[in-house]
């Protein structure tokens, strides 16, 4: 009788910790995970048998499928940047929201400083210039790091 209860307990524990969701990334990769939550443009999950929480940017994920109910939730659309005129499609992301995207290139330059303009207008002009350069190279995401000496580093990302 003890063996029966022990076997049933192991069986149900195995089902409880099995991978319950499948993440489909925009690059075509599929990963079986235990979905935890979707918060602040990040997907939180863990791998089977692990309690360590992992994160991935929602921009890298196409959809999440619940393997038990076969219900699919669309997370984000794939952004395709084909030319310089697609600069409006380029997303400027903070560094912490680029998890799961691949770094493609770095751009360096001097931030826009126009006399008489408010700082936000100068930041917008710099971001526009970086987005245009990123779009002309086909990169859909960019992260801008402002340096204290008036220069910047922009890191471009792809799927």
């Amino acid at each position: 009788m003890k063996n029966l209860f022990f076997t049933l307990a192991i069986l149900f524990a195995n089902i409880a910790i099995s991978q319950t969701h499948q993440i489909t990334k925009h690059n075509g990769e599929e990963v079986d995970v235990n979905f935890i939550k979707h918060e602040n443009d990040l997907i939180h999950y863990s791998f089977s048998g692990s309690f360590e929480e992992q994160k991935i940017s929602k921009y890298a994920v196409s959809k999440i499928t619940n393997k038990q109910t076969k219900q699919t939730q669309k997370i984000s659309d794939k952004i395709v940047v084909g030319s310089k005129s697609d600069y409006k499609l380029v997303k400027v992301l903070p560094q912490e929201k680029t998890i799961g995207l691949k770094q493609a290139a770095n751009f360096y330059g001097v931030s826009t400083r126009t006399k008489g303009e408010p700082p936000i207008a100068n930041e917008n002009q710099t971001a526009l210039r970086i987005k245009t350069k990123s779009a002309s190279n086909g990169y859909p995401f960019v992260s801008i790091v402002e340096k204290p000496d008036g220069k910047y580093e922009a890191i471009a990302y792809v799927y």
Side-chain angles (χ1 to χ4, degrees):
M1 192 66 158
K2 280 185 186 178
N3 290 340
L4 179 62
F5 286 126
F6 182 73
T7 305
L8 287 175
I10 294 293
L11 179 66
F12 286 120
N14 231 1
I15 291 170
I17 63 169
S18 66
Q19 297 157 337
T20 58
H21 291 80
Q22 182 177 48
I23 291 178
T24 305
K25 298 180 183 180
H26 285 294
N27 64 5
E29 184 181 347
E30 293 179 344
V31 182
D32 292 332
V33 299
N34 294 321
F35 175 72
I36 299 172
K37 63 183 173 180
H38 179 192
E39 178 180 72
N40 295 331
D41 294 338
L42 293 172
I43 307 291
H44 299 259
Y45 63 94
S46 66
F47 290 111
S48 180
S50 172
F51 295 107
E52 185 177 345
E53 188 174 307
Q54 306 288 323
K55 297 176 190 174
I56 189 169
S57 173
K58 82 170 194 173
Y59 298 105
V61 177
S62 172
K63 61 185 176 179
I64 296 177
T65 304
N66 186 327
K67 292 170 73 175
Q68 294 169 343
T69 64
K70 303 293 185 214
Q71 190 175 27
T72 300
Q73 178 184 5
K74 186 176 184 177
I75 301 298
S76 67
D77 291 321
K78 186 171 185 172
I79 299 172
V80 179
V81 179
S83 67
K84 188 176 183 176
S85 61
D86 292 334
Y87 71 92
K88 291 181 182 177
L89 299 175
V90 175
K91 297 269 188 213
V92 177
L93 301 175
Q95 195 69 34
E96 62 272 4
K97 294 190 181 172
T98 60
I99 301 168
L101 298 170
K102 294 179 187 166
Q103 187 173 337
N106 289 8
F107 307 127
Y108 300 96
V110 178
S111 298
T112 304
R113 302 276 185 220
T114 306
K115 188 174 183 179
E117 288 287 325
I120 191 72
N122 291 332
E123 289 175 18
N124 290 340
Q125 285 297 324
T126 301
L128 179 64
R129 192 169 64 239
I130 292 169
K131 287 172 70 171
T132 304
K133 187 172 185 176
S134 183
S136 65
N137 291 317
Y139 303 132
F141 304 102
V142 68
S143 177
I144 303 170
V145 180
E146 293 281 339
K147 306 282 181 162
D149 60 355
K151 296 181 181 178
Y152 67 84
E153 176 185 6
I155 304 166
Y157 294 90
V158 295
Y159 294 110

